[in-house]
Amino acid sequence: MTIIHMTIPPLPHYIIGGYTVAPSGRKHPSRRNIGVFDLLVVTRGCLYMGEEEQHYEVSAGHALILRPDAHHYATLACQEQTTYYWIHFQTTGAWSVSDQSVREEPGDSSKVRALTSNIYATQTFTKQLPQFAKLLQPSKMDNLLRQLVQLNMNDHIPSVKWKQQLAFQEIIEHLSASMEAEGPSPSALCAEQAASYLREHYRDPITAQELGESINFHPVYIARCMQKEFGCAPFDYLMRFRIERAKLLLLQTDLSIARIGEEVGFNHAAYFTSCFAKYESISPRKYRQRFSHG
């Protein structure tokens, strides 16, 4: 068998990441010239950060990218419990910082030279990311980051490392879109509101009618919007979120399987086990045995 090994053009690449719950009074670590970019996405509370002379208040639904060549530090301790994702990433390509977006014209001379010299030459382009931004769809970003971080558990497997990089590129695209778009589309806004409601009430029994009444959209329109923005129907989204919460409880608590099912919105233990196995291809009990580090 012949195998082609390709070095991909220098896309930003994911290194490591995690999820932090910082109690009131804790400060983000201060570091200088760490050599990697540090992406912070806050889901609750607020991080008070400085980089060189610039100060930021990174509240829920916002993202900040700390540079690899600068000094960053906490300007203030958390005033309340604050939860956030942190992602270390790097690029082997060139990068720079400016205070305005740059538009590359179609007639750029470097492109013309490349086309006339070799039509098969690899073409480079610029991807612009906001250093600090309010996210267009915080729930969608949370979903992407959660998936990425959970892959760490099996990142010793080459195929999982590949999935991590693919997931990270989606995160990069979402960050870029937060800068490029003037605001969320009507469908994105509807999907975001529905996702927020489902995540807030995931322990409760929810009907399509209740969801529609809660955010003032017709259930059919909500389903169409969530399929477009998240790639799944509302109650598939809800089920996936319940399963993710159950996975955390399986690894972080000693609660029984039945009790965990109740905690995440299932009335019957057998139904919880069946749904968990459907989505994870493994039973809750075996999942706990395989991945628990206790």
Side-chain angles (χ1 to χ4, degrees):
M1 170 185 299
T2 301
I3 301 176
I4 300 174
H5 298 267
M6 295 184 175
T7 300
I8 307 299
L11 294 171
H13 60 273
Y14 169 75
I15 300 172
I16 190 64
Y19 179 74
T20 296
V21 179
S24 177
R26 180 178 295 180
K27 293 183 177 181
H28 187 276
S30 298
R31 291 172 291 202
R32 189 185 301 272
N33 301 330
I34 62 172
V36 295
F37 290 95
D38 187 3
L39 167 64
L40 303 174
V41 178
V42 175
T43 57
R44 179 183 176 185
C46 185
L47 285 175
Y48 301 89
M49 298 297 302
E51 183 180 81
E52 302 298 349
E53 303 302 322
Q54 185 71 45
H55 292 178
Y56 303 93
E57 292 188 7
V58 193
S59 57
H62 289 72
L64 172 67
I65 301 176
L66 299 169
R67 290 162 42 187
D69 63 338
H71 174 216
H72 65 255
Y73 49 92
T75 59
L76 191 67
C78 296
Q79 303 299 291
E80 59 181 309
Q81 185 183 77
T82 298
T83 59
Y84 62 95
Y85 291 94
W86 56 271
I87 300 295
H88 289 172
F89 71 96
Q90 188 55 285
T91 177
T92 56
W95 64 274
S96 62
V97 177
S98 69
D99 58 3
Q100 60 183 356
S101 61
V102 178
R103 182 176 180 180
E104 197 169 17
E105 297 297 331
D108 183 88
S109 59
S110 63
K111 291 185 177 181
V112 174
R113 286 196 300 272
L115 287 172
T116 56
S117 61
N118 184 359
I119 63 172
Y120 300 115
T122 299
Q123 301 297 304
T124 62
F125 61 94
T126 300
K127 190 66 174 175
Q128 299 183 120
L129 299 175
Q131 184 171 15
F132 177 63
K134 181 178 181 180
L135 300 170
L136 281 178
Q137 295 174 267
S139 293
K140 185 171 184 178
M141 176 64 94
D142 180 90
N143 201 40
L144 291 170
L145 287 164
R146 187 173 64 253
Q147 292 175 19
L148 176 62
V149 171
Q150 286 176 344
L151 287 170
N152 289 344
M153 190 175 295
N154 294 306
D155 65 1
H156 59 285
I157 303 173
S159 61
V160 172
K161 288 185 178 294
W162 172 244
K163 290 178 182 178
Q164 284 181 320
Q165 299 306 324
L166 294 177
F168 180 63
Q169 298 312 317
E170 287 193 62
I171 291 167
I172 289 294
E173 184 60 31
H174 190 70
L175 281 173
S176 181
S178 295
M179 179 186 68
E180 294 169 355
E182 295 182 357
S185 66
S187 66
L189 183 62
C190 173
E192 181 68 29
Q193 291 179 358
S196 295
Y197 182 86
L198 292 171
R199 294 162 70 88
E200 183 178 353
H201 299 276
Y202 73 95
R203 294 185 179 91
D204 306 324
I206 303 173
T207 66
Q209 182 178 352
E210 289 171 343
L211 176 61
E213 290 174 352
S214 70
I215 63 172
N216 296 316
F217 287 108
H218 193 280
V220 174
Y221 180 69
I222 294 173
R224 187 182 306 125
C225 292
M226 290 201 72
Q227 186 66 48
K228 176 182 178 182
E229 301 297 331
F230 291 99
C232 62
F235 289 94
D236 187 36
Y237 181 93
L238 174 62
M239 186 67 70
R240 292 177 187 276
F241 186 74
R242 285 172 169 168
I243 296 300
E244 294 300 332
R245 300 302 300 179
K247 287 161 67 175
L248 289 176
L249 292 175
L250 285 166
L251 299 182
Q252 297 176 0
T253 75
D254 295 324
L255 295 175
S256 67
I257 302 299
R259 178 62 187 281
I260 289 175
E262 293 176 3
E263 288 290 320
V264 299
F266 292 88
N267 293 326
H268 302 287
Y271 182 55
F272 166 59
T273 298
S274 174
C275 292
F276 191 98
K278 175 183 176 181
Y279 281 84
E280 297 297 321
S281 301
I282 189 174
S283 72
R285 191 174 306 280
K286 289 184 178 179
Y287 181 89
R288 171 179 271 172
Q289 292 171 349
R290 178 176 297 180
F291 298 116
S292 177
H293 299 290

